[in-house]
Amino acid sequence: MELVKPGLGLVFWMTLTFSIVLFILSKFAWKPILNSIREREDSINNALNAAEEARKQMDALKSDNEKLLNEARQERDNLLKEARDMKEEIISQAKKTADDEARRIVASANESIQAAKLKALNELKTQVAEISVDLAEKVLRKKMEDRSAQEAFVNENLKSISLK
Amino acid sequence: MKLSKNKIFRYLIPVFLVAVYAGYASLKVYGQETSADSSHAHGGEATEMVVEMDAQHAGAENHENHQEANHAENAHGEEKVDAGKLIMEHIADAHDWHIATLGHTHVTIPLPVIIKDDAGIKVFSSSRFEHGHATYEGYKLGEKGQIVAVNADGSENHEASFVDLSITKNVAAMMIAVILLCFIMLSIAGHYSKNRNKAPKGFANLVETLILFIRDEVAKPSIGPKYEKFLPYLLTIFFFIFFNNLLGLVPFFPGGANVTGNIAVTLVLALFTFVITSINGNSSYWGHIFMPPGVPKVLWILLIPIEIIGMLNKPIVLMIRLFANITAGHIIILGFFSLIFIFGAMNQYLGLGVSVLSVAFTTFMSFLELLVAFLQAYVFTLLSSLYFGSAVEEHHHEEHH
């Protein structure tokens, strides 16, 4: 039973000592330690927050840059596309013009050929007619040199003419 | 607190030398005592604890005659080891602090005896009692080492009223622990005020881990937003219990006392928790005890006593848990060592064989006790903070009524 019977002396000394220790440690140990721990935690938290803030700003900056870059890229693509379109348009325009011109030239050539051909044919016709008349005159002149033959011929033709 | 490895070794070397010498001395004493049959060689298993054991059972005979012939017989008679008595003597408080027995010399530190009686306060050294053999100022040491008043004719007077406020072994051990605690914590506090906003180094780092553990894992979750008010007390009891537990595990001076395994110490600690809980109890805490809400008033006759018992029960549980755990640890370790002497008394070789097992088991138990030392300090602190939490908690169900 000795073991579970608290001794009065020990209770007294324990109370006294513990009270003193509680006072000393609370005032001179725990207070400064806890305060400085809290201060440190605050400063660490602040530093972390600042870092987070900086990171966010960086991200914002980065995304801005990205946006700018994208815009520039888009711009360049647009420009290129426009240029390409323009080039194609010019080429096709030029082709069309050239085609038209060629067609026009061919057409006018055809026309003038036709005209020349007609003229030549007409001339040929005229010449052929003149030559024919000349020849016929010459033939007739040759044939009519003999008087009797002329009379014979006229007579013959006269016979075939019946008066009605 | 910078303890480099070299410094630690420098402190350990003298301790080791003392241990070796103590072992050697006890071996020599055994050799002398038993020169007749030369059957006592187990002093060679010298650990500090063994020395203490030797001292214990050689103690009673110290002031009797020292003639060799008688002594050999005496020692033989003493071989019947009373393990229970031995252990109880160690666990109980004492008026002097026994350190070692070298040969026939007991190395003890006499502690001051302070007695308050009708005649006033008497202060004298416990060495005046000559280990229970002398009467001084009307007092002497009783059977169990307690102070008893003595009549003029030398018989014990159990009716005399006096208060024993002596600095006993436990008080002295507690004071050493407390001085150590204050020294360490104040030097760490100095370290903190010198190195503001810097990471702690060395020992401060270790202590900070524990402080943060108490703050973040114990106080904050169990008390809630008002935890800061209780934090100094919680830290103090945690480190107080932890330090005393650890010093209790050190087998030689200045450790080895059973401070936190003494019911008076745990009683005071539990009382502190109880008083702080009661002072800080808010209206809803007391309301729950004296006006339990939500039950018919008739039942209050039944409930109020139950609530009061429950309120008182908490510190009693705290007191008994710490006391029982630490005492049990000391008893187990001492029990294992007593085995050596119990078996050694039967047969020296048996004793030697058992000593190997005992040392192995004690080593294991010591590791377990290291855990228990921390765990019990933690549990005491945790439960205290839970009680504080229940005292300051705001119950919101008044709104529903």
Side-chain angles (χ1 to χ4, degrees):
Chain A
M1 277 319 284
E2 197 65 27
L3 207 56
V4 290
K5 213 166 70 189
L8 197 65
L10 192 48
V11 169
F12 168 77
W13 287 112
M14 172 67 193
T15 312
L16 186 71
T17 317
F18 190 75
S19 308
I20 295 170
V21 169
L22 185 58
F23 174 76
I24 290 178
L25 288 186
S26 301
K27 201 161 166 55
F28 300 111
W30 306 135
K31 212 169 128 191
I33 292 176
L34 288 171
N35 278 344
S36 83
I37 287 177
R38 197 177 308 116
E39 261 172 41
R40 200 175 64 225
E41 277 172 347
D42 285 350
S43 84
I44 290 172
N45 275 343
N46 287 344
L48 284 178
N49 284 342
E52 180 71 9
E53 198 64 27
R55 204 179 60 82
K56 269 186 194 153
Q57 278 179 1
M58 254 307 251
D59 279 358
L61 220 64
K62 221 164 141 189
S63 73
D64 269 9
N65 281 349
E66 196 79 3
K67 222 169 89 189
L68 272 173
L69 203 65
N70 274 343
E71 273 173 13
R73 209 169 279 146
Q74 193 71 35
E75 190 78 33
R76 188 199 64 185
D77 285 355
N78 282 348
L79 280 175
L80 278 177
K81 193 162 169 283
E82 258 170 44
R84 201 176 300 125
D85 285 354
M86 205 177 269
K87 181 191 82 180
E88 264 159 23
E89 205 184 331
I90 288 169
I91 288 174
S92 69
Q93 193 90 35
K95 243 184 212 163
K96 200 164 157 260
T97 323
D99 271 4
D100 284 356
E101 189 71 2
R103 209 166 291 128
R104 203 179 52 77
I105 289 169
V106 168
S108 76
N110 275 346
E111 247 169 56
S112 58
I113 287 168
Q114 209 67 32
K117 196 173 116 186
L118 270 179
K119 204 176 150 199
L121 277 175
N122 283 342
E123 273 177 12
L124 202 62
K125 267 184 199 163
T126 322
Q127 274 186 357
V128 168
E130 274 175 11
I131 293 167
S132 307
V133 170
D134 279 356
L135 281 178
E137 196 190 319
K138 278 174 186 163
V139 168
L140 280 177
R141 209 167 280 196
K142 190 95 183 225
K143 278 238 179 133
M144 291 305 147
E145 275 173 358
D146 187 2
R147 195 81 190 173
S148 59
Q150 280 180 20
E151 280 170 4
F153 182 70
V154 174
N155 288 335
E156 199 178 331
N157 277 315
L158 280 174
K159 276 188 233 171
S160 62
I161 297 165
S162 56
L163 294 166
K164 291 166 191 177
Chain B
M1 277 302 291
K2 278 178 193 162
L3 271 179
S4 65
K5 260 186 191 164
N6 284 342
K7 266 191 188 161
I8 293 172
F9 280 123
R10 216 181 297 156
Y11 290 123
L12 278 179
I13 286 167
V15 171
F16 178 72
L17 287 178
V18 168
V20 168
Y21 175 69
Y24 169 72
S26 63
L27 185 73
K28 232 167 90 177
V29 173
Y30 270 95
Q32 280 174 7
E33 280 174 353
T34 59
S35 51
D37 56 3
S38 72
S39 64
H40 294 270
H42 61 268
E45 294 288 318
T47 64
E48 289 79 8
M49 290 299 284
V50 175
V51 176
E52 203 168 326
M53 296 295 175
D54 290 347
Q56 298 274 8
H57 76 82
E61 60 187 295
N62 189 39
H63 290 274
E64 289 161 26
N65 58 34
H66 284 262
Q67 282 147 12
E68 283 292 358
N70 266 350
H71 195 79
E73 256 183 62
N74 248 349
H76 226 61
E78 295 271 326
E79 280 298 319
K80 291 257 180 292
V81 181
D82 185 353
K85 184 166 167 278
L86 200 94
I87 292 169
M88 283 308 152
E89 266 173 13
H90 169 83
I91 285 171
D93 214 346
H95 282 281
D96 51 9
W97 198 328
H98 189 273
I99 295 173
T101 300
L102 305 174
H104 291 303
T105 323
H106 288 273
V107 182
T108 55
I109 298 175
L111 298 165
V113 173
I114 303 168
I115 293 170
K116 187 188 177 304
D117 57 12
D118 303 333
I121 295 174
K122 291 171 184 164
V123 182
F124 52 90
S125 164
S126 72
S127 60
R128 302 277 188 188
F129 290 137
E130 292 172 13
H131 302 285
H133 299 285
T135 303
Y136 187 79
E137 300 247 3
Y139 295 97
K140 70 168 199 171
L141 288 180
E143 272 295 295
K144 289 165 181 166
Q146 82 280 26
I147 288 176
V148 285
V150 181
N151 288 328
D153 59 357
S155 62
E156 292 181 9
N157 176 7
H158 291 288
E159 274 82 53
S161 72
F162 67 93
V163 184
D164 176 12
L165 295 177
S166 308
I167 307 289
T168 56
K169 183 182 170 186
N170 277 339
V171 176
M174 178 183 73
M175 283 175 172
I176 290 171
V178 152
I179 289 167
L180 200 64
L181 179 66
C182 285
F183 173 72
I184 289 173
M185 291 308 164
L186 291 179
S187 66
I188 286 173
H191 170 91
Y192 271 97
S193 46
K194 253 182 268 161
N195 305 298
R196 290 214 159 263
N197 288 342
K198 279 187 194 153
K201 272 186 203 152
F203 203 71
N205 203 349
L206 172 70
V207 173
E208 181 175 323
T209 312
L210 291 172
I211 291 175
L212 289 181
F213 172 71
I214 296 299
R215 192 190 67 175
D216 296 337
E217 308 297 324
V218 177
K220 264 186 199 171
S222 22
I223 300 177
K226 291 175 187 163
Y227 75 95
E228 277 192 42
K229 192 162 111 191
F230 302 102
L231 202 50
Y233 173 72
L234 292 174
L235 288 170
T236 309
I237 51 167
F238 176 78
F239 283 104
F240 181 89
I241 296 172
F242 191 40
F243 262 64
N244 277 303
N245 284 352
L246 287 182
L247 278 174
L249 290 178
V250 178
F252 42 80
F253 184 84
N258 187 25
V259 177
T260 39
N262 188 297
I263 198 134
V265 173
T266 60
L267 170 80
V268 173
L269 286 172
L271 265 179
F272 265 91
T273 296
F274 177 69
V275 168
I276 292 173
T277 312
S278 302
I279 288 173
N280 288 288
N282 57 16
S283 55
S284 83
Y285 171 75
W286 292 114
H288 267 256
I289 292 170
F290 293 109
M291 287 181 284
V295 286
K297 288 201 163 94
V298 188
L299 283 180
W300 283 11
I301 304 164
L302 203 65
L303 271 178
I304 290 172
I306 291 175
E307 288 284 353
I308 290 173
I309 291 169
M311 178 182 78
L312 297 175
N313 202 24
K314 290 169 177 174
I316 293 172
V317 166
L318 275 183
M319 168 179 84
I320 291 174
R321 178 183 294 108
L322 182 60
F323 154 75
N325 270 288
I326 304 304
T327 303
H330 280 243
I331 289 176
I332 289 170
I333 288 181
L334 289 168
F336 277 127
F337 275 120
S338 300
L339 282 181
I340 303 175
F341 296 96
I342 293 167
F343 283 103
M346 294 179 194
N347 179 314
Q348 55 153 335
Y349 297 111
L350 196 57
L352 266 174
V354 170
S355 70
V356 176
L357 273 181
S358 282
V359 169
F361 273 120
T362 312
T363 310
F364 169 72
M365 280 309 298
S366 293
F367 278 114
L368 203 64
E369 285 302 311
L370 279 179
L371 177 71
V372 170
F374 175 77
L375 207 63
Q376 288 307 320
Y378 165 63
V379 166
F380 200 104
T381 314
L382 178 69
L383 288 176
S384 292
S385 62
L386 282 173
Y387 300 157
F388 297 158
S390 75
V392 297
E393 190 186 8
E394 299 289 346
H395 289 276
H396 292 295
H397 52 77
E398 275 84 355
E399 293 155 18
H400 303 303
H401 297 305

